[in-house]
Amino acid sequence: MLQKLIISLFALGTIGCSAPVSLGKNTSGSGCVGEECVVAQAKAKATVGVVKQSQILPALASCLGLPADKISAGTKTRMKGLKKLFSASGNVKDVSAPMLMAQLELSGDICGDLIEYEKSTKRNFFTGFKIGTFAQEQVDLSTVINKFSSACWGRAAFSAEVEKIKSNWPQGFSSKYDESAALFICSAMLAAPDVLAY
Amino acid sequence: MGSKSYKYLVALALSVLLLGYQNCKNEFVATKPPVSGSQSLASNQSDSNAIQVAATWSNSLEKAMTIYQRLSTRVALDNPDIIKMKGLIEQGKIKEAALVAAETDNFYNITIRDFAAKMSNRELDPAAPLNDFTATIIGIAKDNIDARQMLTADFYYSGLKSASLTDVDNTIVKSNSHYEQLDETSQNLRTTLVRHPKQRAIINGTPGELPDAAGVITSRAFMSAHANAGTNRRLVEYSFSQFLCLEMSQWKTSTTISYVGRDVPRGEQFDNSCSLCHGPMDAMRPAFAYVDFIFDGPAGTAFYYQKEYTDTANMLNSGAEKIIPDKFRRNATIAPNGHRVMNDNWENLTNSSAKNAEFFQWRSSLNGKGLKNFGKMISESRAFSDCMVKRAFETVCYQKFPDNKALLSSLSDKFEAGNKYSLKDLFAEVAILDDCVGGD
């Protein structure tokens, strides 16, 4: 079941992609339309960089509004172990598969810290989720996704991205928005490459 | 499979999906993402809204985000600092906007720390553990002290607000444990670090005040990196490469060989090659004639100044040479007529070539006594300003400084203007360059 899900997600994510992956300053080429075109043009003007190893944990805490003293010892220990997998210089050429895996691993830990924090204060990212003593209320997944992207991607999610995530919401969660669902959506959002891109 | 692993795998799959989705948009470009000017638009689901997103995409907001991220760290789009910076950028006050980011804790805790840490070790590793060198440069930046003092000051920064000298000597002079503890406990360095007058070292066997302090050159970290073993020539080489951004291959020159040590073989190879480096380098080596970094039993591994050396290996040390490390006398029989270092008088011979004179643009005395004079000579050169500009650019812009002499000159002029030498201002100037964050 899980294997099928992952394979289908891979397939879905890559179908129709003919252009090669390129890391660096680039332009969109001709023929782009609408949102896609503006994105490409904006990127063409920008200088490339990725979040440095010294920045990654403060960046995640900062974008999530998580106070430094709410980062758990477990997350700090995890970061120590993963540190070398992130870029020391911020050069985009340092992007690697282990770096993306490390990002995912770290995301799970810091999301756990965020859930604990919101349990003890108020629900911000997880509005409507059943966490701690908060009861489940109506959850607008689009809003949750946009909250994470605006906070940690440096931009709002595109509508197609929101739809993609929503349409692949695991059946196991259905409309049960509990701590597992909170951990899932948070980890997924923080594991996106946009979190690393400056 | 545990539930946590399951969730991670699903999250991984989703992130792959997002990556795949981005690949479909022509090419995935790992670069700074554009910012939607209206967050609410992004929650609209219909594709027709894509054009609206495009129409409201805000260049000033994107610029604010990019500058902030480069100088500090990532924050949410609605962070008050970002809103403030966006407003300033729209008023054309882009430098002021950058200074908002340079007022954040993370500018000092992350960006200045990376900038300093890279200079503090032989491997040029920005992830090197916190130490007295890095802490002192963070302190100089946060207190907006003239950056030239980085190489001349008689102070250091630590988190010890009211410690006894014994504590200082045990945790800073004889080990790096104080700084490691600051790291372990994730201290906010901007608020924790305080300035202390009078640097300390092991003076003739006993912890005490260093009589010839030279900023971070006389930090334990710099000595640990470059005065450890060797012949103390590395201290000259790395002083030039770290603070002037010039490798020896760039400044070697034909000059008098009267200062070249007794441990350098003479001959044809020496005449044609070795002398080009050893000539100017060995003439400055005496600046470090009284320093050593060694393990010495109860005193620990520390920076020693004017230690009295016993004749452990028939080094014939006596009289004035007693306080000069054995390493200056090692292999003295190779070229017995070579220069014998008897004190800390040094001379800078690099100006023997016009190319070097242009490189360095020295502005103070080219000979002197000891470390502070040496640090003063380096910090007052134009090459020092150029080097700080290049290092700031690399730290903030994640790339080498472009081959653009006019830009370098302009930034160095601004750095030196009014004798301010402010690292905070320098970083703000660099972060707003089109070459760094992209043009309009």
Side-chain angles (χ1 to χ4, degrees):
Chain A
M1 159 85 185
L2 177 61
Q3 277 180 324
K4 275 185 186 172
L5 171 65
I6 292 173
I7 290 167
S8 64
L9 285 172
F10 264 93
L12 190 57
T14 53
I15 282 169
C17 300
S18 55
V21 171
S22 168
L23 300 174
K25 209 166 188 173
N26 221 323
T27 58
S28 67
S30 60
C32 61
V33 291
E35 182 180 30
E36 173 189 344
C37 192
V38 172
V39 171
Q41 285 169 355
K43 284 176 175 174
K45 291 180 193 168
T47 312
V48 178
V50 291
V51 178
K52 294 188 279 192
Q53 55 185 224
S54 57
Q55 291 177 314
I56 183 72
L57 194 54
L60 289 175
S62 171
C63 74
L64 295 171
L66 193 63
D69 63 349
K70 299 298 176 192
I71 299 173
S72 66
T75 301
K76 287 176 187 168
T77 304
R78 176 91 66 187
M79 182 64 219
K80 262 189 193 168
L82 298 173
K83 197 169 182 177
K84 293 281 181 193
L85 297 176
F86 291 100
S87 170
S89 67
N91 192 308
V92 74
K93 288 177 184 165
D94 295 345
V95 172
S96 64
M99 183 193 291
L100 297 177
M101 291 299 291
Q103 180 192 355
L104 172 64
E105 209 172 324
L106 188 62
S107 298
D109 284 308
I110 197 128
C111 284
D113 293 344
L114 180 65
I115 291 168
E116 289 305 312
Y117 178 58
E118 294 206 356
K119 269 187 201 175
S120 63
T121 51
K122 64 168 189 170
R123 290 175 296 186
N124 177 26
F125 286 96
F126 305 116
T127 303
F129 280 72
K130 182 181 183 302
I131 55 171
T133 55
F134 293 112
Q136 184 174 327
E137 294 158 4
Q138 192 180 354
V139 172
D140 179 355
L141 211 46
S142 298
T143 304
V144 176
I145 291 166
N146 275 308
K147 220 167 223 175
F148 275 110
S149 64
S150 294
C152 296
W153 289 9
R155 65 174 174 88
F158 302 132
S159 52
E161 289 170 326
V162 174
E163 281 309 301
K164 210 77 152 179
I165 297 167
K166 284 174 69 178
S167 65
N168 285 284
W169 187 251
Q171 291 217 334
F173 292 144
S174 186
S175 56
K176 200 174 117 194
Y177 295 104
D178 57 8
E179 282 184 32
S180 296
L183 184 62
F184 168 79
I185 190 64
C186 176
S187 302
M189 294 301 291
L190 296 191
D194 270 296
V195 171
L196 284 184
Y198 269 10
Chain B
M1 182 181 293
S3 64
K4 201 169 184 185
S5 302
Y6 170 84
K7 285 166 211 154
Y8 283 171
L9 279 171
V10 175
L12 172 63
L14 255 184
S15 66
V16 168
L17 171 70
L18 285 170
L19 180 60
Y21 168 75
Q22 288 173 328
N23 280 341
C24 294
K25 311 288 276 184
N26 284 333
E27 290 185 340
F28 166 60
V29 183
T31 178
K32 69 174 180 179
V35 177
S36 167
S38 166
Q39 291 177 55
S40 59
L41 282 175
S43 58
N44 295 330
Q45 303 307 306
S46 86
D47 286 343
S48 63
N49 279 335
I51 302 299
Q52 279 181 279
V53 172
T56 56
W57 182 78
S58 163
N59 197 42
S60 56
L61 184 59
E62 190 230 0
K63 196 157 231 169
M65 277 297 283
T66 306
I67 292 170
Y68 193 95
Q69 288 168 171
R70 294 292 177 89
L71 285 172
S72 181
T73 190
R74 172 157 284 168
V75 286
L77 285 171
D78 58 358
N79 183 289
D81 281 344
I82 296 294
I83 306 300
K84 188 176 175 186
M85 287 172 69
K86 177 177 180 288
L88 288 166
I89 290 168
E90 283 164 358
Q91 294 169 47
K93 297 177 179 172
I94 189 162
K95 167 91 181 285
E96 286 86 338
L99 285 169
V100 172
E103 275 302 329
T104 60
D105 288 348
N106 280 331
F107 171 66
Y108 300 97
N109 294 340
I110 297 174
T111 307
I112 293 290
R113 177 178 172 163
D114 282 358
F115 162 81
K118 202 173 170 185
M119 290 186 275
S120 77
N121 64 95
R122 248 175 117 174
E123 293 76 26
L124 311 179
D125 181 8
L130 185 68
N131 52 50
D132 55 347
F133 180 111
T134 303
T136 297
I137 293 181
I138 294 171
I140 285 171
K142 83 186 180 79
D143 290 344
N144 218 10
I145 292 170
D146 183 331
R148 287 173 296 183
Q149 292 205 45
M150 195 190 288
L151 307 184
T152 59
D154 186 9
F155 59 65
Y156 66 98
Y157 278 76
S158 83
L160 298 170
K161 290 188 171 67
S162 56
S164 68
L165 284 179
T166 307
D167 282 345
V168 172
D169 292 336
N170 285 336
T171 63
I172 293 178
V173 176
K174 296 178 190 172
S175 76
N176 193 44
S177 63
H178 167 65
Y179 298 99
E180 282 162 15
Q181 199 193 4
L182 289 180
D183 243 356
E184 287 291 321
T185 50
S186 306
Q187 294 292 315
N188 179 345
L189 300 176
R190 186 194 188 182
T191 53
T192 302
L193 292 174
V194 290
R195 186 166 69 242
H196 306 275
K198 303 288 179 194
Q199 293 186 357
R200 295 179 68 77
I202 308 291
I203 317 295
N204 193 18
T206 312
E209 290 178 1
L210 185 64
D212 188 20
V216 296
I217 291 177
T218 45
S219 64
R220 184 181 189 278
F222 197 73
M223 289 296 163
S224 153
H226 309 301
N228 186 7
T231 58
N232 278 9
R233 291 184 176 94
R234 206 162 70 230
L235 286 156
V236 177
E237 180 190 358
Y238 276 83
S239 293
F240 274 49
S241 65
Q242 306 293 46
F243 309 121
L244 301 175
C245 296
L246 287 165
E247 302 299 327
M248 196 181 299
S249 58
Q250 295 173 278
W251 57 270
K252 64 182 181 182
T253 184
S254 177
T255 185
T256 173
I257 57 166
S258 57
Y259 286 101
V260 177
R262 293 174 291 171
D263 56 343
V264 182
R266 307 304 202 266
E268 195 178 339
Q269 194 182 356
F270 173 81
D271 293 340
N272 296 333
S273 172
C274 307
S275 63
L276 301 178
C277 295
H278 279 286
M281 180 170 59
D282 285 20
M284 287 184 274
R285 180 167 72 138
F288 300 96
Y290 298 149
V291 307
D292 207 352
F293 189 86
I294 45 178
F295 176 77
D296 189 21
T301 309
F303 163 30
Y304 281 74
Y305 186 83
Q306 292 189 338
K307 171 179 163 64
E308 276 198 20
Y309 294 81
T310 52
D311 192 8
T312 51
N314 299 316
M315 297 286 186
L316 304 174
N317 47 324
S318 60
E321 275 187 296
K322 254 191 168 175
I323 54 170
I324 294 174
D326 287 344
K327 57 175 105 174
F328 279 78
R329 291 177 290 278
R330 199 166 291 134
N331 299 319
T333 54
I334 289 178
N337 295 323
H339 183 64
R340 187 172 181 176
V341 177
M342 303 294 284
N343 53 47
D344 61 352
N345 291 328
W346 53 266
E347 187 173 358
N348 180 347
L349 302 172
T350 58
N351 259 3
S352 63
S353 85
K355 183 191 74 177
N356 276 353
E358 172 65 23
F359 265 167
F360 294 114
Q361 296 184 49
W362 302 112
R363 294 155 166 165
S364 53
S365 178
L366 295 184
N367 54 64
K369 181 175 169 55
L371 298 159
K372 190 184 281 291
N373 285 172
F374 183 75
K376 184 173 186 292
M377 176 190 72
I378 289 181
S379 67
E380 292 186 352
S381 70
R382 177 66 165 194
F384 173 74
S385 301
D386 289 348
C387 184
M388 294 301 107
V389 168
K390 288 176 187 170
R391 290 198 177 281
F393 187 90
E394 282 173 26
T395 305
V396 176
C397 310
Y398 307 163
Q399 54 183 307
K400 292 278 179 201
F401 194 84
D403 185 15
N404 184 339
K405 281 187 179 173
L407 179 63
L408 180 61
S409 179
S410 159
L411 289 165
S412 292
D413 284 347
K414 286 178 180 172
F415 182 49
E416 295 178 355
N419 277 330
K420 275 178 69 183
Y421 288 83
S422 160
L423 288 175
K424 186 170 78 170
D425 273 8
L426 171 61
F427 273 77
E429 289 285 357
V430 163
I432 62 177
L433 294 172
D434 285 353
D435 285 304
C436 190
V437 295
D440 290 329

